[in-house]
Amino acid sequence: MVTPAAERRAVAHLVANHGMSERRACKAIGCCRMTIRYQSIRADDTALRERMRAIARERRRFGYRRLHVMLKREGLAVNHKKLFRLYREERLSVRRRGGRKRAIGTRSPMLVPLCPNERWSLDFVSDQFTDGRRFRVLAIVDDCTRENLALVADTSLSGVRVARELDRLITKRGRPKMIVSDNGSEFTSNAILAWADQARVEWHYIAPGKPMQNGFIESFNGRLRDELLNETLFSSLSHARAVLANWQADYNGSRPHSQLGWQTPVEFASTFNPRRALALRNLKSSAPTPAASPALQGKLNAGNELKNG
């Protein structure tokens, strides 16, 4: 008997079934009579519990931290520790999906881009329809703002199709400085090599067997599979495209991102000034490193003049 509730049940059992007094029952099990007689004055928080359950039913893979952000947006101010207690009492804990092997040893940190369109990440995700046919999804992410730029679904995605989708994105958003991908056959095809040379975009391939070198898109793929692909049955290609488009809009505009201070990617991207970001990038790339400080150089020259007479 660890909790006060368990002690109350034990005392009630002794009083009801064995005819013991409350004082004697408390002495027998070693608990305080104040604990038995205490009446809770804690509010039941019915409205908060109902809204939390509604959001959890709608977004089944959200933990209590993201639920806390969603409730704050709706004006329901609640302490995160209290919300965690209610979250546990309502049994809304998200079940973890299996484990994965973790590398042993040191890792070099992955640099975060400072400006939008500085680096894009590409990767493929596969799934299947209800009839067993498989399809693939091309995912493109801006590593700075974490925006999902495209989710292209089709039964076959060649290098020519990837180049065409990149041209469409560049027309809409602008040309990136670098694109990162793995060594898949679509990304190493002649069509992609010719496109990168013609578009003047640096294409970086990660080392084989090192997916964490492309960690931004790998993290996004995990959220995509956990929150959408594993939760949805796709009947056709048109159905998959419609669901992916709705999820992309929700991911960019509504879903709070933990690495952006719980802002959405669209909110975080709106904080950037395009002219200032471009000026900062040009300044970093063109600024030479001074050989010596002008003040220090002046002191050395003055000392030499005094020594020379």
Side-chain angles (χ1 to χ4, degrees):
M1 295 177 295
V2 179
T3 63
E7 293 178 347
R8 294 189 189 99
R9 289 194 297 268
V11 170
H13 174 76
L14 293 177
V15 172
N17 297 339
H18 298 278
M20 299 175 64
S21 65
E22 181 183 283
R23 183 189 301 272
R24 187 178 179 184
C26 292
K27 186 177 181 180
I29 65 175
C31 70
C32 180
R33 294 181 66 191
M34 296 178 62
T35 302
I36 304 303
R37 295 189 175 189
Y38 174 76
Q39 298 293 330
S40 176
I41 58 175
R42 177 182 291 170
D44 55 357
D45 300 307
T46 304
L48 179 61
R49 291 174 184 266
E50 291 180 354
R51 186 55 191 153
M52 183 174 59
R53 287 196 299 267
I55 298 177
R57 284 194 298 267
E58 181 182 355
R59 302 174 180 272
R60 296 173 53 185
R61 302 302 299 176
F62 274 21
Y64 81 96
R65 291 185 178 89
R66 283 196 172 86
L67 291 180
H68 187 218
V69 176
M70 302 296 288
L71 291 172
K72 286 176 61 178
R73 289 181 182 176
E74 299 179 2
L76 296 175
V78 57
N79 185 274
H80 67 281
K81 292 179 286 188
K82 176 181 178 180
L83 182 68
F84 181 66
R85 175 177 60 81
L86 300 178
Y87 180 80
R88 293 286 298 272
E89 290 178 359
E90 297 294 331
R91 299 188 177 184
L92 300 176
S93 301
V94 178
R95 181 177 61 86
R96 293 183 177 271
R97 297 186 185 274
R100 61 183 179 87
K101 295 182 180 179
R102 298 184 181 273
I104 300 176
T106 60
R107 295 176 178 172
S108 58
M110 191 172 186
L111 300 180
V112 179
L114 301 179
C115 305
N117 283 356
E118 186 171 341
R119 189 175 68 206
W120 292 357
S121 297
L122 278 68
D123 200 6
F124 285 105
V125 183
S126 63
D127 205 344
Q128 65 181 6
F129 301 115
T130 53
D131 58 2
R133 293 182 301 136
R134 301 196 65 83
F135 69 96
R136 306 181 74 192
V137 179
L138 171 65
I140 305 177
V141 172
D142 189 311
D143 291 352
C144 175
T145 63
R146 309 298 206 278
E147 291 177 282
N148 175 221
L149 306 182
L151 285 176
V152 183
D154 210 331
T155 55
S156 177
L157 292 169
S158 62
V160 177
R161 177 69 180 280
V162 173
R164 188 164 67 246
E165 295 296 335
L166 290 174
D167 285 331
R168 181 184 62 83
L169 272 180
I170 290 177
T171 303
K172 178 181 178 181
R173 185 181 175 88
R175 182 168 57 90
K177 184 178 180 180
M178 176 187 291
I179 294 179
V180 182
S181 72
D182 56 17
N183 294 271
S185 58
E186 297 84 3
F187 299 139
T188 57
S189 62
N190 292 330
I192 290 297
L193 297 177
W195 179 89
D197 184 58
Q198 182 180 2
R200 301 190 304 277
V201 175
E202 181 182 355
W203 198 292
H204 175 74
Y205 295 98
I206 65 175
K210 301 291 184 180
M212 284 311 300
Q213 293 183 3
N214 201 8
F216 291 96
I217 192 66
E218 293 293 339
S219 176
F220 173 80
N221 289 345
R223 304 284 74 74
L224 173 64
R225 184 169 298 281
D226 185 47
E227 298 178 10
L228 180 67
L229 300 183
N230 290 343
E231 300 288 324
T232 310
L233 294 176
F234 300 103
S235 58
S236 63
L237 187 59
S238 58
H239 177 220
R241 288 172 176 172
V243 173
L244 287 169
N246 293 335
W247 189 85
Q248 179 187 8
D250 180 77
Y251 180 88
N252 289 331
S254 300
R255 182 184 184 276
H257 202 292
S258 60
Q259 297 300 317
L260 303 179
W262 300 111
Q263 299 181 81
T264 64
V266 172
E267 291 174 349
F268 183 72
S270 64
T271 62
F272 287 89
N273 187 337
R275 294 183 179 180
R276 183 176 181 182
L278 181 60
L280 179 62
R281 185 189 303 178
N282 294 336
L283 181 63
K284 290 176 60 179
S285 60
S286 61
T289 303
S293 173
L296 180 61
Q297 186 176 1
K299 290 182 179 179
L300 293 176
N301 290 339
N304 293 335
E305 291 176 358
L306 291 175
K307 290 181 180 179
N308 293 334

